[in-house]
């Protein structure tokens, strides 16, 4: 399937307007495509002809960040174990300590600790658990359990529908993006008006104000749909291709939740260590208005351990997110670069082996950058809410947003490329940018409409499930108004799971985009159906403007 790298007819054939898949955008000429390769010696594609999926052994990359992450994890667990064995058993028994004027210290006035606080909390928890026999809680538990059980076949059914009937699903859901919000908006207004308690707590003027505000939000949704209507067909094709690729790697739906479960198991001892860290300290005397009393004081290292543990948990969360992207990218790339009759059988296993092995340092770098971006962005947003005025704050926010935007730009597609080639993080970032720039592709744009369409589809499906759940509860139980709350909670559970499905599909779209760029760089076509779709994506504007004089000179 490979073509001659110097044959310009390959690119002309890709953009042939007489082909059945006519591009939605104006096609660049062959001379425009070839001119930057001839005029810019640094853009010579021959120096990157070997870019493809690295099926062979990979060397370890970004080892310093791997060692730093391991050091933080080991330190967190080491100090956590120390906090467990070094804890003060008198914690929580302040009533058994009194101030001794002779020694000017707090002394214990009994032979055993009074754990009234713990007994009280245990009694409260027991009371809460013992009251779990109510009808509401039984129906809530059963509804959530059934929702969790049905979520797996539900996601699988959505994937098959998007694979075989993408166009029908999208066009069927588009009107519901507007009709469902209108229905719920009118329904709550009428229900609140007819209810005496609701109408009393929320006057008519406020109800009308909320109704009009929600209609304005619906109007914005309509405007977004109309403004992107010319890209609906392209979005349908992209979603169809991504769904087909994901259907060839269904084991990802088993591996990715297991990785998330592994993160929860990894978090469990750290949470226990944080609890026991509070038990490290002693009772010290305090004076208030001439009276002395005993107060618990934590050891000086406890706040530092809290900071260490929280930093480790945040970095580990970011690492797990990037690891999932790495595994998805590795599996999809192996499917893409394999022949139709020889699809790798252990692609997910090899991706996991690379993720936990040679490329774990690269994943740690990417996770650290994401963690820094999220933390700094949260600090900037919090500072803006607390003190929004001042030219200095405005300049600092602009600088912070510019820096965060640059980091997002750097991280885009980098982990996908690292999963394909096994390169280090900085090398992957540079090579990804150069790869997309040489091939007139945007380094920050794939197809954002697909994410919005998928989000709308899962919102409609989860809302329909919530309505069906409410109808069943009204028919088989006597919950009354509580059935609304149970249905809403079921909707929340299902939409969280479907949002994870959308996240996976977005990563598949990004990976296929990078693979398509590698194909285009080599003049090869590994998946013809992918090229017929991704060729319609807009080229980079900066590159397009630089091509105009080159095309005229050619």
């Amino acid at each position: 399937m490979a073509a001659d790298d110097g044959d310009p007819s390959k690119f002309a054939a890709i953009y042939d307007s007489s082909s059945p898949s006519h591009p939605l955008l104006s096609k660049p000429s062959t001379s425009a495509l070839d001119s930057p390769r001839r005029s810019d010696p640094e853009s010579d594609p021959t120096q990157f002809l070997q870019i493809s999926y690295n099926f062979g052994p990979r060397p370890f990359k970004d080892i310093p960040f791997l060692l730093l992450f391991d050091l933080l994890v080991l330190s967190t667990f080491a100090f956590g174990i120390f906090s467990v064995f070094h804890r003060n058993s008198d914690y929580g028994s302040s009533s058994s300590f009194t101030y001794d004027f002779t020694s000017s210290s707090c002394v214990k006035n009994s032979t055993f600790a009074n754990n009234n606080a713990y007994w009280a909390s245990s009694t409260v928890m027991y009371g809460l658990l013992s009251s779990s026999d109510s009808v509401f809680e039984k129906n809530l538990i059963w509804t959530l359990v059934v929702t969790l059980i049905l979520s797996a076949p539900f996601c699988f059914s959505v994937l098959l529908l998007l694979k075989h009937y993408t166009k029908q699903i999208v066009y069927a859901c588009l009107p519901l993006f507007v009709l469902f919000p209108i229905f719920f908006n009118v329904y709550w207004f009428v229900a609140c008006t007819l209810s005496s308690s609701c109408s009393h707590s929320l006057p008519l003027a406020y109800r009308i104000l909320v109704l009009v505000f929600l209609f304005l939000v619906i109007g914005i949704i309509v405007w977004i749909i109309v403004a992107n209507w010319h890209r609906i067909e392209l979005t349908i094709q992209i979603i169809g291709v991504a769904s087909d690729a994901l259907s060839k790697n269904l084991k990802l739906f088993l591996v990715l939740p297991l990785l998330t479960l592994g993160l929860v198991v990894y978090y469990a001892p750290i949470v226990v260590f944080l609890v026991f860290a509070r038990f490290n300290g002693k009772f010290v005397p305090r004076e208030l208005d001439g009276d002395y009393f005993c107060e618990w004081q934590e050891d000086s290292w406890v706040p530092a351990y809290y900071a260490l543990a929280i930093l480790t948990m945040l970095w580990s969360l970011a690492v797990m997110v990037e690891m999932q992207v790495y595994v998805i990218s590795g599996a999809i790339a192996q499917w893409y670069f394999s022949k139709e009759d020889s699809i790798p059988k252990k692609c997910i296993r090899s991706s996991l082996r690379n993720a936990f092995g040679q490329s774990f340092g690269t994943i740690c770098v990417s996770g650290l950058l994401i963690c820094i971006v999220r933390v700094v962005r949260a600090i900037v947003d919090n500072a803006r809410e607390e003190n929004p005025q001042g030219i200095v704050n405005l300049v600092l926010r602009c600088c912070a947003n510019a820096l965060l935007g640059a980091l997002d730009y750097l991280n885009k597609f980098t982990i996908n490329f690292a999963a394909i080639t096994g390169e280090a993080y900085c090398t992957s970032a540079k090579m990804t940018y150069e790869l997309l720039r040489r091939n007139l592709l945007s380094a920050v744009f794939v197809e954002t409409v697909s994410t919005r369409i998928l989000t709308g589809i899962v919102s409609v499906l989860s809302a329909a499930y919530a309505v069906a759940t409410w109808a069943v509860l009204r028919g088989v139980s006597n919950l009354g108004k509580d059935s609304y709350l149970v249905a809403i909670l079921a909707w929340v559970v299902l939409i969280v799971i479907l949002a994870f499905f959308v996240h996976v599909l977005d990563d598949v779209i990004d990976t296929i985009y990078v693979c398509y760029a590698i194909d285009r760089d080599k003049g090869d076509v590994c998946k013809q159906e992918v090229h017929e779709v991704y060729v319609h994506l807009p080229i980079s504007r900066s590159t397009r403007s630089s091509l105009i004089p080159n095309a005229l000179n050619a």
Side-chain angles (χ1 to χ4, degrees), residues 292-480:
Y292 290 89
F293 62 95
C294 293
E295 184 182 61
W296 177 261
Q297 183 182 38
E298 295 177 346
D299 291 339
S300 58
W301 60 269
V302 173
Y305 178 74
Y306 267 84
L308 173 66
I310 293 174
L311 175 61
T312 303
M313 294 176 72
L314 291 177
W315 194 0
S316 301
L317 176 61
V319 166
M320 181 54 60
V321 172
E322 291 301 284
M323 182 171 292
Q324 291 179 344
V325 177
Y326 186 99
V327 173
I328 295 171
S329 302
I332 297 300
Q334 291 182 68
W335 163 81
Y336 184 93
F337 290 110
S338 63
K339 297 180 179 179
E340 295 295 336
D341 55 349
S342 60
I343 299 178
K345 296 182 180 180
K346 300 180 179 180
C347 55
I348 299 179
R349 183 182 301 179
S350 63
S351 297
L352 285 171
R353 183 172 58 251
N354 293 329
F356 284 98
Q358 292 84 345
S359 295
F360 190 74
T362 304
I363 296 174
C364 290
V365 179
S366 182
L368 179 60
L369 288 178
I370 290 180
C371 182
I372 293 174
V373 168
R374 297 295 184 268
V375 172
V376 174
R377 184 162 290 162
I379 294 174
V380 171
D381 294 340
N382 187 37
R384 180 178 56 187
E385 294 177 358
E386 293 181 355
N387 189 10
Q389 299 178 353
I391 186 64
V392 177
N393 293 331
L394 179 61
V395 172
L396 291 177
R397 287 201 302 269
C398 291
C399 295
N401 290 329
L403 177 61
L404 297 179
L407 290 177
D408 285 336
Y409 178 84
L410 174 66
N411 201 58
K412 185 68 174 177
F413 301 123
T414 299
I415 200 68
N416 306 101
F417 192 89
I420 295 173
T421 62
E423 295 292 338
Y425 182 85
C426 293
T427 305
S428 298
K430 180 181 178 181
M431 293 181 67
T432 304
Y433 172 77
E434 292 294 333
L435 172 69
L436 299 179
R437 185 181 64 86
R438 284 197 313 272
N439 293 276
L440 319 179
L441 299 173
S442 173
V444 294
F445 174 82
V446 180
E447 180 55 40
T448 56
V449 180
S450 59
T451 303
R452 300 168 186 170
I453 293 291
L454 290 172
T455 303
I457 291 175
V458 300
S459 300
V460 168
L461 294 178
S462 57
Y465 176 81
V467 172
T469 302
W470 172 81
V472 172
L473 290 173
R474 295 282 290 185
V476 301
S477 65
N478 55 353
L479 286 176

Side-chain angles (χ1 to χ4, degrees), residues 48-63:
F48 289 107
L49 284 178
Q50 299 303 318
I51 297 181
S52 184
Y53 187 86
N54 186 2
F55 289 93
R58 302 182 177 186
F60 282 89
K61 300 291 185 179
D62 298 304
I63 297 179

